[in-house]
Amino acid sequence: MTAVRLGRRDSDALQRCAVGISVGGAFRGSGFLVAPGVVLTAAHVVSTPGPAPRVSVEHPTGSRLVAAEDIRAEPDTGDGSRFHPFPDLAALTVPGWRDHPVARLAPDEAEPGTEVTALGYSTHTPSPGVQPDTLALRVAGRSGPFIRVLGDGVREGMSGSMLLDADGLVRGLLNGSRSYRDAQGGWYVPVAALAGFLGGPSALPGAPARPGAVAAAAGPGDAEFVEALMAFPAMMRPDGRYDLFEKIGDHLGLPHSFEVEDRPDRRDHLYRLVRRCRVHRDERAALRALYTAMEELVPYDNALDRLRVLVGQAVGEGEGG
């Protein structure tokens, strides 16, 4: 299913997670914060032949130097070629940079046809110098270990940018342009490779979820929510589940139904719903919308009591709704 594009308000907020990266005093590319003080970028942005030059992270809040020992890249050297070996990733640790929003990785890969937004920096805007820049792209499909995208021209400087879906989740990291001459689309590193390179969530201690989100360990797990939803007879029928998704979308102010990957199996379908709530840009709001929508659909169902308790625990309140 094709996603709608990232809204301007969300784009502006997530742009604060983006950084420009300079090497040897010259602008080289983009990156983004994935944890407090941890910037992810493309390896070819920071890797050069010979002695390691000075690397700095540029952000509207200031410029921060990154020591050579605080850079981990795969591959760890650059050869200046047009195509960059997989996974083409680098993590930069910036000591002391704690109080800052971070981008959050999506739990799965984007389907072909999904519209994604690249947020980064470049010198190809109407304003002089290095400026925040945005690309509108569409996922085409696998291209070796990378994923191909079509759409806006991928210009110098946007390498290392985060690719975001409509929920503001990172679906990959921009790797390069399809053509230096016409530059329509390019390739990106898939989100599974990003997670593997970072070592999974446990490798990012202290990384908060998106504003308003709740850490999974702080409340009930997905399985508990699925069991609570299985107790509703209305969820036995696909039409009942689709009605629920429609109402959740209404309560979240979406111009469309809350998007949940279709599954013929009821339990699997409800699991997908719970995961979509968990990774929504405001998890608390999504869980509250889930309860409120269910309450409207089946106001007298006794199963509401259990769901209300679970939502209350997850959002840190006495009860849901």
Side-chain angles (χ1 to χ4, degrees):
M1 181 179 293
T2 301
V4 296
R5 288 184 179 172
L6 190 67
R8 176 175 178 179
R9 182 169 59 181
D10 295 325
S11 177
D12 290 346
L14 284 160
Q15 185 72 54
R16 298 198 299 270
C17 303
V19 302
I21 296 175
S22 294
V23 178
F27 172 66
R28 281 284 298 273
S30 302
F32 57 97
L33 282 142
V34 289
V38 179
V39 170
L40 193 63
T41 185
H44 75 265
V45 168
V46 295
S47 300
T48 57
R54 185 184 67 175
V55 175
S56 63
V57 170
E58 314 293 339
H59 188 266
T61 60
S63 177
R64 295 161 175 83
L65 288 176
V66 182
E69 59 268 24
D70 290 327
I71 298 175
R72 178 171 64 90
E74 293 183 15
D76 58 5
T77 58
D79 58 8
S81 63
R82 173 182 168 185
F83 297 106
H84 313 292
F86 189 82
D88 190 30
L89 293 172
L92 286 59
T93 301
V94 186
W97 201 12
R98 306 291 300 177
D99 299 325
H100 197 284
V102 301
R104 187 175 179 184
L105 303 186
D108 50 19
E109 304 296 348
E111 296 290 333
T114 300
E115 292 181 345
V116 290
T117 302
L119 295 185
Y121 286 83
S122 83
T123 58
H124 296 276
T125 74
S127 301
V130 179
Q131 301 289 340
D133 205 353
T134 306
L135 301 176
L137 299 166
R138 185 178 71 259
V139 176
R142 285 280 174 178
S143 183
F146 296 98
I147 297 179
R148 183 186 295 276
V149 285
L150 305 174
D152 284 346
V154 178
R155 304 298 186 183
E156 296 92 339
M158 291 298 286
S159 288
S161 301
M162 53 183 161
L163 284 177
L164 300 162
D165 63 16
D167 288 323
L169 296 174
V170 176
R171 293 290 189 156
L173 180 145
L174 203 56
N175 163 263
S177 169
R178 183 170 67 89
S179 167
Y180 282 171
R181 182 166 299 174
D182 54 19
Q184 294 299 300
W187 294 273
Y188 73 87
V189 184
V191 69
L194 272 58
F197 177 76
L198 294 168
S202 61
L204 301 174
R210 293 179 309 284
V214 182
D222 293 353
E224 293 179 82
F225 273 105
V226 172
E227 290 303 323
L229 292 169
M230 290 283 288
F232 289 92
M235 294 297 98
M236 294 181 65
R237 297 177 297 101
D239 286 350
R241 300 194 289 273
Y242 299 143
D243 288 343
L244 175 62
F245 305 159
E246 188 73 33
K247 284 188 173 294
I248 292 174
D250 289 342
H251 284 290
L252 290 174
L254 302 177
H256 49 76
S257 176
F258 191 62
E259 293 184 347
V260 177
E261 189 175 354
D262 201 10
R263 284 292 186 272
D265 179 76
R266 175 174 49 138
R267 183 180 296 275
D268 191 12
H269 205 188
L270 292 173
Y271 174 79
R272 301 282 171 166
L273 166 62
V274 173
R275 289 307 306 156
R276 289 289 290 130
C277 289
R278 293 289 203 186
V279 301
H280 185 67
R281 57 179 171 266
D282 187 339
E283 183 180 354
R284 287 189 176 95
L287 291 173
R288 290 192 188 100
L290 168 62
Y291 175 79
T292 304
M294 187 63 79
E295 187 179 39
E296 291 178 354
L297 283 173
V298 286
Y300 304 111
D301 197 311
N302 291 333
L304 284 168
D305 292 339
R306 177 57 180 161
L307 183 61
R308 181 173 60 251
V309 170
L310 292 177
V311 170
Q313 291 173 347
V315 303
E317 299 173 354
E319 58 183 26

